[in-house]
Amino acid sequence: MSAETRQDRFEHGMKVLAAVDGEAGQRVIDSLADVSPELGHQVVAWAFGDIYDRPGLAPRDRQLVTLGILTALGGCEPQLEVHVNAALNVGLTPNEIVEALLHSAVYCGMPKVLNATSVAKKVFAERGLLPVTE
């Protein structure tokens, strides 16, 4: 463990969050400011600064894992929206995202994948990426 301070970890996490999630990530942190600023701090410092920025997986691979997990959990549509955007930001194509969601159906079921695909469609529409073609 390095001798980084709490603030150092937060600042590093903010750089990672900005690079991956952009404004969507900042909106999540801002939404926590008046109810649980510590949760916002942990999302930034721990989830993005410590875990997301580890060298073992490329950011696009981390996003594929995240999309699969959020899809399988279900009920995570706001977070899924952030991470579909993040997946695009780190280089995944709409086709790759759709394929990852389709692949998830085998393991977590059609209703969850339908919900996740609806979220992806919303993000694609907002970014002018429809229709998705193979």
Side-chain angles (χ1 to χ4, degrees), residues 51-66:
I51 302 300
Y52 195 93
D53 202 38
R54 292 176 53 81
L57 289 174
R60 61 177 281 117
D61 298 335
R62 289 189 186 279
Q63 284 305 318
L64 283 171
V65 170
T66 303

Side-chain angles (χ1 to χ4, degrees):
M1 187 82 177
S2 70
E4 290 181 339
T5 67
R6 177 178 165 87
Q7 187 60 33
D8 292 337
R9 289 177 58 238
F10 182 82
E11 289 171 8
H12 174 70
M14 283 301 295
K15 288 177 187 169
V16 176
L17 178 70
V20 174
D21 285 347
E23 292 178 14
Q26 185 62 55
R27 283 193 300 273
V28 171
I29 302 312
D30 292 346
S31 75
L32 297 169
D34 63 349
V35 64
S36 185
E38 183 60 23
L39 179 57
H41 178 90
Q42 293 301 326
V43 166
V44 171
W46 181 67
F48 281 87
D50 294 346
I51 302 300
Y52 195 93
D53 202 38
R54 292 176 53 81
L57 289 174
R60 61 177 281 117
D61 298 335
R62 289 189 186 279
Q63 284 305 318
L64 283 171
V65 170
T66 303
L67 293 176
I69 291 170
L70 292 174
T71 298
L73 285 171
C76 300
E77 286 75 16
Q79 292 77 25
L80 191 56
E81 184 175 341
V82 170
H83 286 283
V84 169
N85 272 298
L88 293 166
N89 292 345
V90 299
L92 287 164
T93 67
N95 284 330
E96 290 170 321
I97 292 167
V98 168
E99 189 64 28
L101 298 178
L102 179 60
H103 182 76
S104 298
V106 175
Y107 298 95
C108 67
M110 285 293 180
K112 290 178 180 178
V113 171
L114 287 167
N115 291 344
T117 301
S118 292
V119 171
K121 181 179 179 177
K122 177 180 183 246
V123 171
F124 298 158
E126 290 170 351
R127 291 179 73 153
L129 299 173
L130 288 177
V132 176
T133 58
E134 292 185 26

